[in-house]
């Protein structure tokens, strides 16, 4: 068995370009404003690179086709179950 990515994207065309424009296009409202505020305060070099990297990651999450599940995970609202429930359901299906 091999591990395959869930969403196929070519290396040449990322979902969000790793540029100031690409990141800002992917962000909305207050998040975009916060990105620009941090960007304008960052000094050229590692600090600016860190801001771009952090916000590129957030932009990738914001544009992920599964973003609703990501937000549910961030807010703790994903449905949960116990091991007892899983075991009971497997026994009921005869797959235990």
């Amino acid at each position: 068995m091999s591990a395959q990515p869930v969403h196929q994207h070519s290396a040449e065309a990322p979902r969000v370009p790793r540029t100031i424009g690409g990141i800002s296009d992917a962000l909305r409202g207050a998040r975009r404003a916060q990105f620009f505020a941090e960007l304008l305060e960052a000094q050229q070099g590692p600090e600016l690179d860190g801001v771009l990297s952090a916000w590129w990651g957030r932009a990738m999450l914001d544009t992920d086709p599964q973003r609703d599940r990501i937000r549910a995970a961030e807010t703790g609202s994903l449905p949960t179950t116990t091991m007892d429930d899983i075991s009971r359901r497997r026994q009921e299906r005869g797959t235990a």
Side-chain angles (χ1 to χ4, degrees), residues 61-80:
L61 289 174
D62 283 357
T63 60
D64 190 294
Q66 297 292 321
R67 68 184 164 274
D68 292 336
R69 289 188 56 80
I70 292 167
R71 286 196 180 107
E74 289 175 341
T75 62
S77 60
L78 275 177
T80 59

Side-chain angles (χ1 to χ4, degrees), residues 10-62:
S10 71
E12 295 118 25
R15 186 173 60 244
V16 176
R18 207 171 186 132
T19 63
I20 293 170
I23 295 166
S24 71
D25 287 346
L27 299 169
R28 299 286 175 249
R31 287 173 70 79
R32 181 183 285 168
Q34 186 180 0
F35 166 63
F36 278 115
E38 289 183 28
L39 189 66
L40 292 171
E41 292 296 317
Q43 292 197 15
Q44 185 176 4
E47 185 179 0
L48 179 60
D49 293 344
V51 169
L52 290 173
S53 291
W55 280 100
W56 179 78
R58 292 175 188 138
M60 288 293 288
L61 289 174
D62 283 357

